[in-house]
C-alpha cells in the first residue's frame, strides 16, 4: 500500500476528483470530514489558511482546498461564496438567477482552486485556474456544482459533458492538485502561493 | 450629558441611523470602529454573537448589529452576504445583476436587523424586520445600501426616497434599535431573540 494523505472536506464530488488526480502520483486519499467555520473574505487563500490553521497539529499530511467560480462580469461573484450560491441556486434549479444576472454582461469565467497541504507543521499552498465562459443553459450531468454551466477555453462542451479524466485535465482542481502531487513526490518549495 | 453606548461598526450609514434612533431615548452613540472577521453562516444571529464575543470584555455597553436583505424568490439571497453584494453590485452600478436575477421571480423582500448589546458581561439580542418588495429600478438618493430598491409594505416610495425619520419609522434597523432603546431605559429581559 502506497503513501496516503487525508483530505479534509465534506464534499463527495471533490473527494472523488482529488482521489482520481492523486492516484496518478501513487498517493491514496482518505476522507477527513471536517466542518469548518469559514471566514467571510473575498480571498480563497485566506479561507484555505484558516482551514489549515485548525488542522496543523494532525499527524501525517492533510490536504484542504477551496474553490470558486469568479465572474468578472458580475464583479467577481460568486467567488468565495460559490458553494453557498450553488446550494441555493444550483442543482435542479439550474442556476437560473445566476444566468439571468449574467444577461447582457460579459460571460468570461475563471474557476480557481487553492489547495493547502500541511505536513510536519508546515503549510504549502498550490493554485490552479481554468479560464472559460458561462454557458447560456446548463448542459450535461457529470461533475458537480457549476460544471453544467462552465465551458473551458478552447472547448465546446461543459465540464458536466466531459468524462472525469477530461474534466480533470482542464480543470482548476486538476491543475492545483497535480502541483500537490508533484510536491508530494519530491518535497521542495511550494510551487505556487 | 446623558448616557452613552459605543457602536462597533465601520459603516457610516448605520452609525448615523443608530444615532438618530437612540437619540429619541436620550442615549448618545460613540463610534467604535472594529474590523470583524465574520463567520460564513446563513444566520444573522450567529454573526452578531461572534461580534459580541470579541467585545464582551469592554467596559460600558457596546452595541453591534448585522443586517441583511432576504429575497425568498432567490432562495434567501443576498441575506448575510448583503454587504458584500452591495459592495460589488450596488452604488452607481444600481444593483443591475440583482435586478436581472429577480426577473420573473417573486419580488417579496424582507429586510432584517439583529442588534446585539453587551452590558456587564451579558449579551442581549434584538430583532427588527421590514417586509416589502424590490423595486424594478433604483429610485432616490437617501439612505445607503439597498435603500434605492426597497419599498416597504403599504408604501410607494423606496427607503432612499424617504426622509431619515420616515425610513427609521418603517425600517428593520429602526424596529430593532427601538427595542434596544427601550431596554437601555429599563434593563429587563431582552424582548426578542
Amino acid at each position: 500500500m502506497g503513501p496516503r494523505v487525508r483530505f479534509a472536506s465534506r464534499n463527495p464530488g471533490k473527494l472523488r476528483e482529488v482521489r482520481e488526480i492523486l492516484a496518478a502520483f501513487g498517493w491514496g486519499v482518505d476522507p477527513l470530514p471536517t466542518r469548518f467555520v469559514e471566514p467571510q473574505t473575498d480571498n480563497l487563500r485566506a479561507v484555505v489558511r484558516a482551514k489549515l490553521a485548525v488542522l496543523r497539529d494532525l499527524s501525517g499530511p492533510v490536504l484542504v482546498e477551496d474553490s470558486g467560480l469568479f465572474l468578472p462580469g458580475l464583479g467577481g461573484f460568486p467567488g468565495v461564496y460559490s458553494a453557498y450560491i450553488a446550494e441555493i441556486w444550483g442543482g435542479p434549479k439550474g442556476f437560473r438567477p445566476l444566468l439571468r444576472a449574467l444577461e447582457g454582461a460579459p460571460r468570461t469565467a475563471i474557476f480557481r482552486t487553492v489547495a493547502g497541504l500541511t505536513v510536519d507543521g508546515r503549510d504549502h499552498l498550490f493554485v490552479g485556474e481554468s479560464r472559460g465562459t458561462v454557458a447560456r443553459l446548463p448542459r450535461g450531468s457529470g461533475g458537480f456544482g457549476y460544471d453544467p454551466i462552465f465551458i473551458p477555453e478552447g472547448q465546446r462542451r461543459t465540464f458536466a459533458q466531459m468524462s472525469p479524466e477530461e474534466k480533470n485535465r482542464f480543470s482548476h482542481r486538476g491543475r492545483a492538485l497535480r502541483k500537490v502531487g508533484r510536491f508530494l513526490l519530491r518535497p521542495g518549495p511550494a510551487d505556487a502561493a
Side-chain angles (χ1 to χ4, degrees), chain A:
Chain A
M1 196 168 107
R4 303 191 73 81
V5 59
R6 285 187 286 180
F7 178 48
S9 172
R10 295 156 41 84
N11 182 320
K14 290 184 177 181
L15 175 62
R16 195 189 61 239
E17 293 186 357
V18 169
R19 279 196 165 133
E20 289 161 1
I21 298 159
L22 291 185
F25 296 86
W27 277 73
V29 177
D30 297 311
L32 179 68
T34 312
R35 189 186 292 274
F36 297 103
V37 176
E38 299 186 13
Q40 273 193 36
T41 159
D42 59 359
N43 189 310
L44 291 180
R45 279 185 223 184
V47 173
V48 168
R49 287 191 191 281
K51 290 182 176 182
L52 287 174
V54 178
L55 302 166
R56 197 171 294 130
D57 295 333
L58 295 175
S59 67
V62 178
L63 181 68
V64 301
E65 69 101 88
D66 207 52
S67 297
L69 181 69
F70 295 79
L71 305 179
L74 297 181
F77 181 82
V80 290
Y81 304 110
S82 294
Y84 166 71
I85 296 298
E87 197 182 296
I88 61 172
W89 292 354
K93 288 174 209 145
F95 289 108
R96 276 194 299 265
L98 185 69
L99 296 173
R100 287 196 302 260
L102 261 182
E103 271 164 35
R107 306 188 74 83
T108 316
I110 303 156
F111 240 143
R112 190 175 290 134
T113 288
V114 178
L117 185 72
T118 179
V119 48
D120 297 332
R122 296 186 69 157
D123 297 346
H124 308 273
L125 298 195
F126 307 86
V127 181
E129 280 190 359
S130 183
R131 285 165 184 272
T133 52
V134 176
R136 301 251 157 217
L137 286 172
R139 297 199 309 263
S141 56
F144 65 97
Y146 297 81
D147 288 352
I149 60 168
F150 183 83
I151 305 168
E153 223 166 50
Q155 304 295 312
R156 313 191 72 156
R157 285 167 306 148
T158 68
F159 272 166
Q161 293 178 299
M162 298 182 177
S163 70
E165 298 69 33
E166 247 179 322
K167 176 191 165 184
N168 291 339
R169 192 176 340 139
F170 297 115
S171 83
H172 49 308
R173 189 167 294 107
R175 286 174 177 149
L177 269 292
R178 283 191 292 275
K179 292 180 182 177
V180 172
R182 289 193 288 271
F183 177 85
L184 285 169
L185 287 186
R186 182 186 53 78
D191 57 352

